[in-house]
PDB file of all heavy atoms in Angstrom:
ATOM      1  N   ASN A  77     -13.636  10.493  -5.699  1.00 88.00           N
ATOM      2  CA  ASN A  77     -13.111  10.768  -7.028  1.00 88.00           C
ATOM      3  C   ASN A  77     -11.656  11.220  -7.020  1.00 88.00           C
ATOM      4  O   ASN A  77     -11.120  11.603  -8.057  1.00 88.00           O
ATOM      5  CB  ASN A  77     -13.969  11.830  -7.720  1.00 88.00           C
ATOM      6  CG  ASN A  77     -15.385  11.357  -7.918  1.00 88.00           C
ATOM      7  OD1 ASN A  77     -15.626  10.176  -8.141  1.00 88.00           O
ATOM      8  ND2 ASN A  77     -16.334  12.275  -7.810  1.00 88.00           N
ATOM      9  N   SER A  78     -11.011  11.176  -5.836  1.00 92.00           N
ATOM     10  CA  SER A  78      -9.608  11.573  -5.746  1.00 92.00           C
ATOM     11  C   SER A  78      -8.983  10.844  -4.574  1.00 92.00           C
ATOM     12  O   SER A  78      -9.061  11.299  -3.432  1.00 92.00           O
ATOM     13  CB  SER A  78      -9.483  13.092  -5.557  1.00 92.00           C
ATOM     14  OG  SER A  78      -8.126  13.469  -5.385  1.00 92.00           O
ATOM     15  N   ASN A  79      -8.369   9.715  -4.863  1.00 91.00           N
ATOM     16  CA  ASN A  79      -7.745   8.939  -3.795  1.00 91.00           C
ATOM     17  C   ASN A  79      -6.667   8.040  -4.369  1.00 91.00           C
ATOM     18  O   ASN A  79      -6.637   7.784  -5.580  1.00 91.00           O
ATOM     19  CB  ASN A  79      -8.783   8.114  -3.027  1.00 91.00           C
ATOM     20  CG  ASN A  79      -9.532   7.137  -3.892  1.00 91.00           C
ATOM     21  OD1 ASN A  79      -9.060   6.043  -4.176  1.00 91.00           O
ATOM     22  ND2 ASN A  79     -10.737   7.530  -4.343  1.00 91.00           N
ATOM     23  N   GLY A  80      -5.781   7.568  -3.503  1.00 93.00           N
ATOM     24  CA  GLY A  80      -4.724   6.701  -3.996  1.00 93.00           C
ATOM     25  C   GLY A  80      -3.892   6.096  -2.891  1.00 93.00           C
ATOM     26  O   GLY A  80      -3.949   6.511  -1.731  1.00 93.00           O
ATOM     27  N   LEU A  81      -3.102   5.097  -3.287  1.00 94.00           N
ATOM     28  CA  LEU A  81      -2.230   4.364  -2.381  1.00 94.00           C
ATOM     29  C   LEU A  81      -0.881   4.158  -3.051  1.00 94.00           C
ATOM     30  O   LEU A  81      -0.808   3.909  -4.260  1.00 94.00           O
ATOM     31  CB  LEU A  81      -2.828   2.989  -2.048  1.00 94.00           C
ATOM     32  CG  LEU A  81      -4.224   2.961  -1.435  1.00 94.00           C
ATOM     33  CD1 LEU A  81      -4.738   1.512  -1.395  1.00 94.00           C
ATOM     34  CD2 LEU A  81      -4.201   3.559  -0.045  1.00 94.00           C
ATOM     35  N   THR A  82       0.174   4.219  -2.253  1.00 96.00           N
ATOM     36  CA  THR A  82       1.527   3.955  -2.745  1.00 96.00           C
ATOM     37  C   THR A  82       2.242   3.052  -1.762  1.00 96.00           C
ATOM     38  O   THR A  82       2.123   3.232  -0.549  1.00 96.00           O
ATOM     39  CB  THR A  82       2.313   5.264  -2.929  1.00 96.00           C
ATOM     40  OG1 THR A  82       1.720   6.023  -3.997  1.00 96.00           O
ATOM     41  CG2 THR A  82       3.775   5.008  -3.276  1.00 96.00           C
ATOM     42  N   VAL A  83       2.996   2.090  -2.285  1.00 96.00           N
ATOM     43  CA  VAL A  83       3.764   1.191  -1.436  1.00 96.00           C
ATOM     44  C   VAL A  83       5.095   0.877  -2.109  1.00 96.00           C
ATOM     45  O   VAL A  83       5.158   0.723  -3.336  1.00 96.00           O
ATOM     46  CB  VAL A  83       2.974  -0.100  -1.130  1.00 96.00           C
ATOM     47  CG1 VAL A  83       2.672  -0.875  -2.391  1.00 96.00           C
ATOM     48  CG2 VAL A  83       3.696  -0.972  -0.132  1.00 96.00           C
ATOM     49  N   ALA A  84       6.151   0.819  -1.321  1.00 97.00           N
ATOM     50  CA  ALA A  84       7.466   0.382  -1.799  1.00 97.00           C
ATOM     51  C   ALA A  84       7.782  -0.956  -1.159  1.00 97.00           C
ATOM     52  O   ALA A  84       7.716  -1.105   0.062  1.00 97.00           O
ATOM     53  CB  ALA A  84       8.539   1.406  -1.450  1.00 97.00           C
ATOM     54  N   VAL A  85       8.136  -1.933  -1.989  1.00 96.00           N
ATOM     55  CA  VAL A  85       8.377  -3.304  -1.552  1.00 96.00           C
ATOM     56  C   VAL A  85       9.814  -3.686  -1.873  1.00 96.00           C
ATOM     57  O   VAL A  85      10.288  -3.456  -2.995  1.00 96.00           O
ATOM     58  CB  VAL A  85       7.395  -4.272  -2.250  1.00 96.00           C
ATOM     59  CG1 VAL A  85       7.676  -5.715  -1.874  1.00 96.00           C
ATOM     60  CG2 VAL A  85       5.958  -3.907  -1.900  1.00 96.00           C
ATOM     61  N   GLY A  86      10.492  -4.293  -0.908  1.00 97.00           N
ATOM     62  CA  GLY A  86      11.899  -4.629  -1.093  1.00 97.00           C
ATOM     63  C   GLY A  86      12.182  -6.082  -1.363  1.00 97.00           C
ATOM     64  O   GLY A  86      13.343  -6.470  -1.536  1.00 97.00           O
ATOM     65  N   THR A  87      11.139  -6.937  -1.413  1.00 96.00           N
ATOM     66  CA  THR A  87      11.326  -8.367  -1.632  1.00 96.00           C
ATOM     67  C   THR A  87      10.472  -8.838  -2.798  1.00 96.00           C
ATOM     68  O   THR A  87       9.567  -8.132  -3.248  1.00 96.00           O
ATOM     69  CB  THR A  87      10.943  -9.169  -0.374  1.00 96.00           C
ATOM     70  OG1 THR A  87       9.610  -8.803   0.028  1.00 96.00           O
ATOM     71  CG2 THR A  87      11.904  -8.899   0.775  1.00 96.00           C
ATOM     72  N   ASN A  88      10.760 -10.044  -3.257  1.00 92.00           N
ATOM     73  CA  ASN A  88       9.983 -10.633  -4.349  1.00 92.00           C
ATOM     74  C   ASN A  88       9.584 -12.052  -3.967  1.00 92.00           C
ATOM     75  O   ASN A  88       9.882 -13.019  -4.655  1.00 92.00           O
ATOM     76  CB  ASN A  88      10.799 -10.638  -5.645  1.00 92.00           C
ATOM     77  CG  ASN A  88       9.996 -11.116  -6.835  1.00 92.00           C
ATOM     78  OD1 ASN A  88       8.797 -10.845  -6.934  1.00 92.00           O
ATOM     79  ND2 ASN A  88      10.631 -11.842  -7.743  1.00 92.00           N
ATOM     80  N   ASN A  89       8.918 -12.185  -2.828  1.00 90.00           N
ATOM     81  CA  ASN A  89       8.477 -13.491  -2.360  1.00 90.00           C
ATOM     82  C   ASN A  89       7.240 -13.950  -3.121  1.00 90.00           C
ATOM     83  O   ASN A  89       6.429 -13.134  -3.549  1.00 90.00           O
ATOM     84  CB  ASN A  89       8.166 -13.443  -0.866  1.00 90.00           C
ATOM     85  CG  ASN A  89       9.388 -13.109  -0.048  1.00 90.00           C
ATOM     86  OD1 ASN A  89      10.484 -13.588  -0.336  1.00 90.00           O
ATOM     87  ND2 ASN A  89       9.216 -12.286   0.977  1.00 90.00           N
ATOM     88  N   LEU A  90       7.088 -15.252  -3.251  1.00 80.00           N
ATOM     89  CA  LEU A  90       5.866 -15.784  -3.834  1.00 80.00           C
ATOM     90  C   LEU A  90       4.707 -15.522  -2.893  1.00 80.00           C
ATOM     91  O   LEU A  90       4.780 -15.818  -1.698  1.00 80.00           O
ATOM     92  CB  LEU A  90       6.003 -17.287  -4.076  1.00 80.00           C
ATOM     93  CG  LEU A  90       6.885 -17.721  -5.232  1.00 80.00           C
ATOM     94  CD1 LEU A  90       7.011 -19.237  -5.241  1.00 80.00           C
ATOM     95  CD2 LEU A  90       6.332 -17.235  -6.560  1.00 80.00           C
ATOM     96  N   ALA A  91       3.637 -14.972  -3.419  1.00 75.00           N
ATOM     97  CA  ALA A  91       2.454 -14.755  -2.595  1.00 75.00           C
ATOM     98  C   ALA A  91       1.866 -16.098  -2.195  1.00 75.00           C
ATOM     99  O   ALA A  91       1.795 -17.016  -3.002  1.00 75.00           O
ATOM    100  CB  ALA A  91       1.423 -13.936  -3.364  1.00 75.00           C
ATOM    101  N   ASN A  92       1.454 -16.226  -0.941  1.00 73.00           N
ATOM    102  CA  ASN A  92       0.949 -17.516  -0.469  1.00 73.00           C
ATOM    103  C   ASN A  92      -0.570 -17.546  -0.352  1.00 73.00           C
ATOM    104  O   ASN A  92      -1.129 -18.453   0.250  1.00 73.00           O
ATOM    105  CB  ASN A  92       1.588 -17.880   0.878  1.00 73.00           C
ATOM    106  CG  ASN A  92       1.234 -16.894   1.973  1.00 73.00           C
ATOM    107  OD1 ASN A  92       0.625 -15.863   1.707  1.00 73.00           O
ATOM    108  ND2 ASN A  92       1.619 -17.202   3.198  1.00 73.00           N
ATOM    109  N   ALA A  93      -1.233 -16.551  -0.914  1.00 72.00           N
ATOM    110  CA  ALA A  93      -2.687 -16.514  -0.891  1.00 72.00           C
ATOM    111  C   ALA A  93      -3.174 -15.833  -2.168  1.00 72.00           C
ATOM    112  O   ALA A  93      -2.422 -15.113  -2.828  1.00 72.00           O
ATOM    113  CB  ALA A  93      -3.197 -15.756   0.332  1.00 72.00           C
ATOM    114  N   ILE A  94      -4.434 -16.076  -2.531  1.00 72.00           N
ATOM    115  CA  ILE A  94      -4.973 -15.471  -3.748  1.00 72.00           C
ATOM    116  C   ILE A  94      -4.915 -13.960  -3.661  1.00 72.00           C
ATOM    117  O   ILE A  94      -4.525 -13.273  -4.596  1.00 72.00           O
ATOM    118  CB  ILE A  94      -6.419 -15.946  -3.983  1.00 72.00           C
ATOM    119  CG1 ILE A  94      -6.429 -17.442  -4.285  1.00 72.00           C
ATOM    120  CG2 ILE A  94      -7.056 -15.184  -5.139  1.00 72.00           C
ATOM    121  CD1 ILE A  94      -7.815 -18.017  -4.421  1.00 72.00           C
ATOM    122  N   TYR A  95      -5.296 -13.426  -2.511  1.00 75.00           N
ATOM    123  CA  TYR A  95      -5.231 -11.986  -2.320  1.00 75.00           C
ATOM    124  C   TYR A  95      -4.164 -11.669  -1.288  1.00 75.00           C
ATOM    125  O   TYR A  95      -4.406 -11.759  -0.087  1.00 75.00           O
ATOM    126  CB  TYR A  95      -6.597 -11.442  -1.877  1.00 75.00           C
ATOM    127  CG  TYR A  95      -7.676 -11.653  -2.896  1.00 75.00           C
ATOM    128  CD1 TYR A  95      -8.740 -12.508  -2.648  1.00 75.00           C
ATOM    129  CD2 TYR A  95      -7.622 -11.010  -4.129  1.00 75.00           C
ATOM    130  CE1 TYR A  95      -9.728 -12.718  -3.598  1.00 75.00           C
ATOM    131  CE2 TYR A  95      -8.607 -11.216  -5.084  1.00 75.00           C
ATOM    132  CZ  TYR A  95      -9.650 -12.062  -4.817  1.00 75.00           C
ATOM    133  OH  TYR A  95     -10.611 -12.267  -5.762  1.00 75.00           O
ATOM    134  N   SER A  96      -2.992 -11.338  -1.754  1.00 86.00           N
ATOM    135  CA  SER A  96      -1.909 -10.922  -0.877  1.00 86.00           C
ATOM    136  C   SER A  96      -1.739  -9.413  -1.056  1.00 86.00           C
ATOM    137  O   SER A  96      -1.313  -8.955  -2.113  1.00 86.00           O
ATOM    138  CB  SER A  96      -0.610 -11.654  -1.223  1.00 86.00           C
ATOM    139  OG  SER A  96      -0.734 -13.021  -0.968  1.00 86.00           O
ATOM    140  N   VAL A  97      -2.082  -8.677  -0.036  1.00 91.00           N
ATOM    141  CA  VAL A  97      -2.257  -7.235  -0.155  1.00 91.00           C
ATOM    142  C   VAL A  97      -1.215  -6.507   0.691  1.00 91.00           C
ATOM    143  O   VAL A  97      -1.010  -6.835   1.851  1.00 91.00           O
ATOM    144  CB  VAL A  97      -3.683  -6.844   0.304  1.00 91.00           C
ATOM    145  CG1 VAL A  97      -3.857  -5.346   0.334  1.00 91.00           C
ATOM    146  CG2 VAL A  97      -4.716  -7.495  -0.604  1.00 91.00           C
ATOM    147  N   GLU A  98      -0.570  -5.515   0.098  1.00 94.00           N
ATOM    148  CA  GLU A  98       0.400  -4.718   0.853  1.00 94.00           C
ATOM    149  C   GLU A  98      -0.263  -3.563   1.617  1.00 94.00           C
ATOM    150  O   GLU A  98       0.234  -3.136   2.649  1.00 94.00           O
ATOM    151  CB  GLU A  98       1.484  -4.173  -0.082  1.00 94.00           C
ATOM    152  CG  GLU A  98       2.634  -5.127  -0.315  1.00 94.00           C
ATOM    153  CD  GLU A  98       2.213  -6.384  -1.059  1.00 94.00           C
ATOM    154  OE1 GLU A  98       1.827  -6.293  -2.234  1.00 94.00           O
ATOM    155  OE2 GLU A  98       2.261  -7.475  -0.428  1.00 94.00           O
ATOM    156  N   LEU A  99      -1.356  -3.053   1.098  1.00 95.00           N
ATOM    157  CA  LEU A  99      -2.056  -1.947   1.755  1.00 95.00           C
ATOM    158  C   LEU A  99      -3.506  -1.998   1.306  1.00 95.00           C
ATOM    159  O   LEU A  99      -3.781  -1.943   0.099  1.00 95.00           O
ATOM    160  CB  LEU A  99      -1.408  -0.611   1.366  1.00 95.00           C
ATOM    161  CG  LEU A  99      -2.017   0.677   1.897  1.00 95.00           C
ATOM    162  CD1 LEU A  99      -2.054   0.691   3.412  1.00 95.00           C
ATOM    163  CD2 LEU A  99      -1.229   1.884   1.387  1.00 95.00           C
ATOM    164  N   GLY A 100      -4.453  -2.140   2.238  1.00 93.00           N
ATOM    165  CA  GLY A 100      -5.826  -2.282   1.798  1.00 93.00           C
ATOM    166  C   GLY A 100      -6.860  -2.019   2.864  1.00 93.00           C
ATOM    167  O   GLY A 100      -6.566  -1.974   4.060  1.00 93.00           O
ATOM    168  N   SER A 101      -8.091  -1.846   2.407  1.00 94.00           N
ATOM    169  CA  SER A 101      -9.249  -1.674   3.273  1.00 94.00           C
ATOM    170  C   SER A 101     -10.406  -2.455   2.667  1.00 94.00           C
ATOM    171  O   SER A 101     -10.622  -2.414   1.452  1.00 94.00           O
ATOM    172  CB  SER A 101      -9.625  -0.198   3.395  1.00 94.00           C
ATOM    173  OG  SER A 101     -10.851  -0.035   4.088  1.00 94.00           O
ATOM    174  N   TYR A 102     -11.141  -3.173   3.511  1.00 92.00           N
ATOM    175  CA  TYR A 102     -12.251  -3.996   3.049  1.00 92.00           C
ATOM    176  C   TYR A 102     -13.457  -3.776   3.952  1.00 92.00           C
ATOM    177  O   TYR A 102     -13.373  -3.952   5.167  1.00 92.00           O
ATOM    178  CB  TYR A 102     -11.858  -5.474   3.080  1.00 92.00           C
ATOM    179  CG  TYR A 102     -12.964  -6.429   2.669  1.00 92.00           C
ATOM    180  CD1 TYR A 102     -13.010  -6.934   1.380  1.00 92.00           C
ATOM    181  CD2 TYR A 102     -13.934  -6.826   3.577  1.00 92.00           C
ATOM    182  CE1 TYR A 102     -14.024  -7.820   1.001  1.00 92.00           C
ATOM    183  CE2 TYR A 102     -14.949  -7.704   3.207  1.00 92.00           C
ATOM    184  CZ  TYR A 102     -14.985  -8.197   1.915  1.00 92.00           C
ATOM    185  OH  TYR A 102     -15.989  -9.055   1.541  1.00 92.00           O
TER     186      TYR A 102
END
Side-chain angles (χ1 to χ4, degrees):
N77 298 326
S78 176
N79 60 82
L81 303 171
T82 293
V83 62
V85 177
T87 53
N88 185 36
N89 297 320
L90 286 175
N92 63 353
I94 294 175
Y95 298 113
S96 294
V97 174
E98 274 66 66
L99 178 58
S101 172
Y102 178 98

